[in-house]
Amino acid sequence: MHSFLPEVEKLCSRLVQKKMIYNKNDEVGVVLFGTDDTNNELTSEVGGYQHVVVLRNSKVVDGDVIEALQKLPRGNFPGDFLDAIVVGTDIMVKKFGPTNKGKKRLCLITSAQDPVKMSFEGTKEDQVDAIAISMNALGMKLDNIVVRGNSTENADRTILDDNDCLLNRFSRGACTKTVYVQSPTKLLGALQTQNVSPVTIFRGDLELTPEMKIKVWVYKKTSEEKFPTLKKYSDKASPTDRFATHGVKVNVEYKGAENTNKAVPPQQRIKGYRYGPQVVPISSAEVEAMKFKPDKSVKLLGFTNATNIMRHYYMKDVYIFIAQPANMKAILAVSALVRAMKENNMVAILRCVWRQGQGNVVVGVLTPNESNAESMPDSFFFNVLPFAEDVRDFRFPSFSKFPPSMQPNEQQQDAADKLVMMLDLAPPGKEEVLQPDFTPNPVLERFYHFLELKSKNPDADVPPLDNILLRITKPDPELLSQNKSVIDEFCKQFELKRNPKIRKSSGDKPTRSSEEPEGFVALNTRTVNFVENNSTAKVDSIGDSTPIQDFEAMMASRDGKKWVDKAVKDMKTLIYELLENSYGGDTYEKAVDCLVALRKGCILEYVCHLLLVYSLLSLLPKFIQVASLYSIFCVCKGTALDAVHYSVLGQ
């Protein structure tokens, strides 16, 4: 396993780094097998267990164990993982005995490519069964991480199969989980370093009708992992004070605008909501009375076809509904409902109030989850659905409306299809890349590593992102090199042109594309011609495709004032056309954007405000007819000319 040991060192050291943050009272021990020497108590007590070294006995996590795990010795002898499991179990038994059931955990990391020695009594299978029964009686858990990769390609297939059978046999008598990893990235995510206790967010009835209810428990299935909370720290306490908390107490004072030297007491303060130019005060009693206080319940609103619920409707975290444990009637009812919904391709819509007095009601979709394991009952997945106010309706023009010259031809479409298939993360017959269960968050992993460096050296610099984590944030370079011909063919079918950044003119007035990032690349089919954007290009009219950019370019022209007048006139004409030729209001937003640009351009170019007011007044009847009077007032806000605008529009 020498080729995998650098990744194993990172995995184990970061495990302890996270425990230093979240579980600082946990104890960790380290056992190595396949080493050159032997150092464990069982060798001297009963004999055997050669080439097994106890690198560190079970102790509270600290910086020393991190350093030890970052420099693991390399051995040259075959590793017997059963010997290592027995030695690790012996350490826990001697330290904790039968106590702390469910909290003792063994994590085995091995390639399992070396043969296991024969037992003096019974077969290997009998030995595994005896160890599993003993671990189960002591309340121990076992996690097996089997590393397979290029180093095991030449290994004996018979030995690998025998060892896999032995590792899987542990699950019969003990609480065991076995994971096979093929890549260093998956290895980093194979060991769940932070144990999250399962806590229900709801226990009660799933109400199908007032007369028909099913007892269910609800858990969170996924939840975003946040950064550890930063706390304020004070170094004013004496360094010799062992009981100093170094805590910081924050006091907040509110002062009035009229008298900034006098604090306003709590009884003279009140919260309010801004409503236009004024603030409407709302007392705490009114806020409490205004709150919606539904009763705790989970009610079925109805069923709908699964195709009616789009994937992008899902919001927030994912929950899992299970039947109440040990309640056979509830388990059978949930299972029957799951299978019926699965067979008919239906989902359920629920109204949920998780706790009494909850300030909001959740409406979500219940998706059936039929179990494939005999020991695992059927369940439901629950996703929150948006209300009308939560939906963002962004309208984009359809490519089908473009002329045939702007549609991809057969060769271009084929090149794009091959590019997509080349970057498939789950190709047929291969292991899926970047599985969520085994892909660590690169930002958090880097944070834990930097925190450990900072604890040793306060002046330590932020390290670069690890090469293994780079495979999560960037495309795999090996995959790109293997498929270079596909990428070249795609680039050949599409013409790439660099769009240079347009610098501001000498008058410090914005010009076309002044806010575009440098190096912006425009993708362009071979049949479409684009005018190269540069500072010397002449724009003499406002087009339909980029009217705002054309307007800004004409306004910035230094040839004469006629271009400013022409730009204002052409923009007004274009806005009229957008409103007249609109189909179902699809160009209203573009018309408002052009109106905003018209107002902004006139002010920046110091055009007489009467010209702008006249343009706005001439457009006002049309906006009232097809769009909204509010749009006019939106574009007349926030400048020194507002007083004139409002007074004229008011008349």
Side-chain angles (χ1 to χ4, degrees):
M1 286 189 64
H2 290 186
S3 60
F4 279 96
L5 282 183
E7 284 73 33
V8 173
E9 291 171 342
K10 294 175 184 177
L11 170 66
C12 297
S13 60
R14 288 177 184 177
L15 163 67
V16 180
Q17 291 170 11
K18 295 178 186 179
K19 286 187 176 294
M20 294 275 287
I21 300 174
Y22 298 106
N23 310 96
K24 59 182 179 181
N25 296 321
D26 281 9
E27 296 190 18
V28 173
V30 182
V31 177
L32 307 177
F33 56 103
T35 55
D36 295 338
D37 51 354
T38 302
N39 182 13
N40 63 83
E41 294 183 359
L42 287 179
T43 301
S44 58
E45 292 176 358
V46 299
Y49 304 100
Q50 298 294 319
H51 307 293
V52 179
V53 171
V54 178
L55 186 65
R56 174 189 168 98
N57 273 306
S58 180
K59 294 182 180 178
V60 177
V61 292
D62 54 20
D64 295 336
V65 68
I66 297 177
E67 293 184 1
L69 289 169
Q70 290 174 344
K71 300 176 182 178
L72 295 177
R74 271 58 172 166
N76 299 294
F77 286 83
D80 189 331
F81 60 82
L82 285 184
D83 284 352
I85 291 176
V86 173
V87 171
T89 304
D90 179 68
I91 293 175
M92 287 193 176
V93 170
K94 291 177 179 177
K95 182 68 180 287
F96 303 104
T99 62
N100 296 318
K101 287 189 176 182
K103 297 183 179 180
K104 291 173 287 190
R105 182 183 181 193
L106 284 175
C107 301
L108 173 68
I109 306 175
T110 179
S111 61
Q113 61 179 336
D114 295 323
V116 174
K117 296 188 295 290
M118 292 297 297
S119 175
F120 294 107
E121 298 180 359
T123 62
K124 299 177 184 178
E125 288 76 11
D126 295 337
Q127 185 181 6
V128 169
D129 293 341
I131 296 173
I133 293 172
S134 176
M135 293 177 63
N136 188 49
L138 295 170
M140 291 186 187
K141 299 178 181 179
L142 176 63
D143 290 337
N144 300 321
I145 301 176
V146 184
V147 182
R148 297 285 165 79
N150 297 331
S151 61
T152 58
E153 289 181 353
N154 299 324
D156 191 331
R157 192 72 248 176
T158 303
I159 296 176
L160 293 178
D161 294 340
D162 291 343
N163 290 339
D164 290 345
C165 292
L166 293 177
L167 290 173
N168 293 326
R169 195 178 181 87
F170 272 104
S171 59
R172 298 182 181 181
C175 184
T176 306
K177 178 183 177 182
T178 303
V179 176
Y180 293 86
V181 298
Q182 303 287 344
S183 63
T185 302
K186 188 174 180 180
L187 177 61
L188 283 182
L191 189 59
Q192 301 297 326
T193 53
Q194 183 183 0
N195 292 327
V196 180
S197 301
V199 178
T200 56
I201 64 169
F202 176 83
R203 294 188 184 187
D205 296 329
L206 170 57
E207 185 176 328
L208 305 180
T209 68
E211 295 79 21
M212 183 166 50
K213 303 176 182 179
I214 304 175
K215 295 289 184 182
V216 295
W217 288 8
V218 183
Y219 294 87
K220 271 194 175 184
K221 186 64 176 175
T222 62
S223 181
E224 182 183 358
E225 186 68 21
K226 304 288 186 180
F227 268 88
T229 305
L230 291 173
K231 296 181 174 59
K232 291 182 170 60
Y233 173 81
S234 173
D235 58 354
K236 298 298 183 182
S238 173
T240 58
D241 187 0
R242 295 188 300 113
F243 301 100
T245 61
H246 300 280
V248 176
K249 184 178 181 181
V250 179
N251 293 323
V252 180
E253 287 187 347
Y254 293 87
K255 298 181 178 180
E258 295 80 8
N259 187 359
T260 58
N261 297 323
K262 183 180 179 181
V264 180
Q267 60 271 18
Q268 297 182 9
R269 300 198 301 263
I270 189 172
K271 294 183 179 180
Y273 291 96
R274 186 167 293 280
Y275 190 73
Q278 62 180 340
V279 176
V280 180
I282 305 292
S283 66
S284 57
E286 291 171 326
V287 171
E288 190 66 24
M290 189 174 54
K291 287 183 179 179
F292 183 51
K293 300 178 181 179
D295 294 330
K296 174 183 175 182
S297 63
V298 173
K299 297 182 179 182
L300 174 70
L301 299 181
F303 296 95
T304 184
N305 195 283
T307 57
N308 295 330
I309 306 297
M310 304 299 178
R311 179 62 182 84
H312 60 267
Y313 288 167
Y314 294 171
M315 299 178 63
K316 300 183 179 180
D317 304 324
V318 182
Y319 303 86
I320 184 169
F321 277 62
I322 64 171
Q324 185 183 46
N327 188 333
M328 290 306 300
K329 290 184 178 181
I331 294 174
L332 288 174
V334 167
S335 179
L337 197 58
V338 166
R339 293 168 188 266
M341 292 169 59
K342 188 78 173 179
E343 182 178 350
N344 294 280
N345 194 30
M346 302 289 283
V347 294
I349 307 298
L350 300 186
R351 172 191 182 275
C352 303
V353 180
W354 305 123
R355 58 186 181 276
Q356 190 67 30
Q358 180 176 310
N360 63 315
V361 174
V362 173
V363 173
V365 56
L366 203 63
T367 307
N369 176 37
E370 189 174 351
S371 176
N372 296 323
E374 295 181 359
S375 58
M376 187 71 65
D378 296 331
S379 58
F380 291 102
F381 289 133
F382 179 80
N383 291 89
V384 179
L385 293 178
F387 291 103
E389 294 81 1
D390 304 323
V391 177
R392 299 294 180 263
D393 187 14
F394 301 120
R395 298 183 180 180
F396 303 100
S398 174
F399 287 107
S400 61
K401 295 183 178 180
F402 290 167
S405 61
M406 298 185 67
Q407 300 286 346
N409 57 37
E410 185 176 348
Q411 292 79 12
Q412 292 171 337
Q413 188 63 55
D414 182 65
D417 292 341
K418 290 181 179 179
L419 179 68
V420 173
M421 296 305 297
M422 179 266 291
L423 295 175
D424 188 2
L425 293 178
K430 294 185 179 180
E431 184 184 36
E432 182 182 356
V433 184
L434 300 181
Q435 298 179 32
D437 290 347
F438 302 102
T439 304
N441 187 328
V443 178
L444 288 175
E445 293 294 325
R446 190 185 189 200
F447 168 76
Y448 297 137
H449 180 46
F450 176 62
L451 196 62
E452 191 264 336
L453 294 177
K454 200 77 172 176
S455 66
K456 298 177 181 178
N457 180 15
D459 299 328
D461 296 329
V462 178
L465 194 63
D466 190 87
N467 289 331
I468 300 177
L469 299 178
L470 278 175
R471 292 178 176 267
I472 303 174
T473 60
K474 293 185 177 181
D476 188 354
E478 296 181 3
L479 181 64
L480 296 180
S481 61
Q482 294 172 1
N483 297 273
K484 187 176 183 300
S485 60
V486 178
I487 300 175
D488 293 342
E489 179 64 23
F490 181 80
C491 296
K492 180 182 177 181
Q493 292 295 331
F494 294 89
E495 182 183 358
L496 299 177
K497 288 187 177 182
R498 182 171 294 277
N499 187 8
K501 182 178 179 181
I502 306 302
R503 301 184 181 275
K504 292 184 179 181
S505 56
S506 58
D508 291 332
K509 293 169 184 172
T511 60
R512 182 182 182 186
S513 303
S514 61
E515 297 180 355
E516 285 184 357
E518 187 173 2
F520 174 80
V521 176
L523 190 61
N524 168 23
T525 64
R526 59 180 179 83
T527 57
V528 181
N529 297 323
F530 284 89
V531 179
E532 191 72 35
N533 292 329
N534 52 61
S535 57
T536 61
K538 191 70 175 178
V539 180
D540 55 3
S541 63
I542 296 178
D544 294 336
S545 58
T546 57
I548 297 177
Q549 291 87 339
D550 296 341
F551 174 75
E552 292 175 350
M554 292 178 67
M555 294 289 284
S557 177
R558 293 295 173 266
D559 296 345
K561 187 177 179 296
K562 65 175 183 178
W563 292 109
V564 175
D565 297 339
K566 188 178 186 303
V568 173
K569 182 179 178 181
D570 289 353
M571 181 60 85
K572 187 176 69 171
T573 303
L574 176 64
I575 295 174
Y576 262 116
E577 293 176 354
L578 290 174
L579 297 178
E580 287 285 353
N581 302 326
S582 174
Y583 179 75
D586 59 341
T587 59
Y588 287 173
E589 294 184 7
K590 186 175 182 180
V592 173
D593 293 339
C594 292
L595 192 64
V596 172
L598 173 62
R599 168 190 169 277
K600 180 181 177 182
C602 290
I603 295 174
L604 290 176
E605 293 293 340
Y606 301 101
V607 178
C608 176
H609 62 267
L610 291 179
L611 175 61
L612 174 60
V613 172
Y614 170 75
S615 300
L616 294 177
L617 283 175
S618 61
L619 292 170
L620 179 57
K622 196 61 182 175
F623 266 91
I624 294 177
Q625 178 184 354
V626 298
S628 171
L629 178 62
Y630 175 70
S631 303
I632 293 292
F633 285 92
C634 283
V635 299
C636 294
K637 180 181 178 183
T639 69
L641 302 178
D642 286 349
V644 178
H645 297 169
Y646 285 128
S647 62
V648 177
L649 289 174
Q651 297 173 3

